[in-house]
């Protein structure tokens, strides 16, 4: 028997330290929070996915009175991205959120487990790493891949 320790690499950076294209992706995620439909949680999440073909697809959380029917911002974005451009691989995703006070969360927002699993499959389809940028008010966390956000992920491949 032996204990294994799994570590994940996370870079903390200021927004201005990001390359222009990724700053733009964070901005698109922030803008998407304003298109959230979240009358129940009052927590607005926005996601922006950069595709290999240069397109940026955004999504926001969409809630429903039948709560389990709601969908997170990340899955709204990735399901639309792949249904609109099935041939394009994902390059990067940025995620941002505004809390019940309407202000962007101070801490970078992190995708839920279900969204990580869904995004992982698109990373596998792309055949290369998809950078993950988690935005907070004054700092971002950058992870090199979706895989790194989900150690011991389920995979049937
Ligand atoms: N939410 C997301 O959009 N993405 C996540 O990764 C976690 C949570 C949404 C779901 C719900 O509409 C609101 O945030 C509060 O949980």
């Amino acid at each position: 028997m032996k204990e294994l320790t799994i570590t994940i690499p996370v870079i903390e950076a200021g927004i201005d330290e990001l390359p222009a294209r990724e700053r733009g992706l964070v901005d698109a995620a922030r803008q998407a929070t304003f298109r959230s439909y979240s009358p129940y949680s009052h927590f607005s999440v926005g996601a922006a996915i950069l595709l290999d073909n240069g397109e940026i697809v955004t999504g926001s959380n969409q809630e429903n009175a039948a709560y389990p029917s709601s969908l997170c911002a990340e899955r709204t974005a990735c399901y639309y991205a792949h249904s609109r451009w099935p041939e394009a691989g994902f390059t990067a995703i940025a995620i941002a959120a505004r809390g019940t006070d309407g202000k962007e969360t101070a801490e970078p927002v992190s995708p839920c487990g279900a969204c990580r699993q869904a995004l992982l499959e698109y990373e596998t389809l792309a055949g290369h790493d998809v950078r993950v940028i988690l935005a907070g008010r004054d700092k971002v966390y950058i992870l090199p891949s979706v895989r790194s956000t989900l150690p011991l992920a389920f995979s049937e491949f």
Side-chain angles (χ1 to χ4, degrees), residues 139-156:
K139 65 178 177 192
V140 294
Y141 289 159
I142 306 159
L143 292 100
S145 62
V146 174
R147 193 169 13 93
S148 61
T149 71
L150 194 59
L152 300 179
F154 168 75
S155 173
E156 50 177 29

Side-chain angles (χ1 to χ4, degrees), residues 15 30 97 101 103-109 135-140:
I15 307 278
R30 286 174 168 164
D101 59 2
K103 295 193 181 131
E104 184 167 11
T105 56
E107 285 304 306
V109 61
R137 201 176 304 150
D138 303 312
K139 65 178 177 192
V140 294

Side-chain angles (χ1 to χ4, degrees), residues 62-151:
Q62 300 294 314
E63 298 183 349
N64 190 275
Y67 296 166
S69 306
S70 305
L71 194 62
C72 293
E74 298 88 329
R75 275 175 290 161
T76 302
C78 74
Y79 292 154
Y80 178 67
H82 195 69
S83 53
R84 175 67 181 81
W85 283 288
E87 307 301 332
F90 292 11
T91 300
I93 179 168
I95 304 162
R98 287 183 299 111
T100 47
D101 59 2
K103 295 193 181 131
E104 184 167 11
T105 56
E107 285 304 306
V109 61
S110 208
C112 77
C115 289
R116 293 174 198 213
Q117 187 73 46
L119 288 165
L120 180 63
E121 192 146 331
Y122 293 111
E123 180 171 79
T124 305
L125 280 176
H128 53 69
D129 288 351
V130 176
R131 255 161 90 84
V132 179
I133 304 160
L134 310 178
R137 201 176 304 150
D138 303 312
K139 65 178 177 192
V140 294
Y141 289 159
I142 306 159
L143 292 100
S145 62
V146 174
R147 193 169 13 93
S148 61
T149 71
L150 194 59

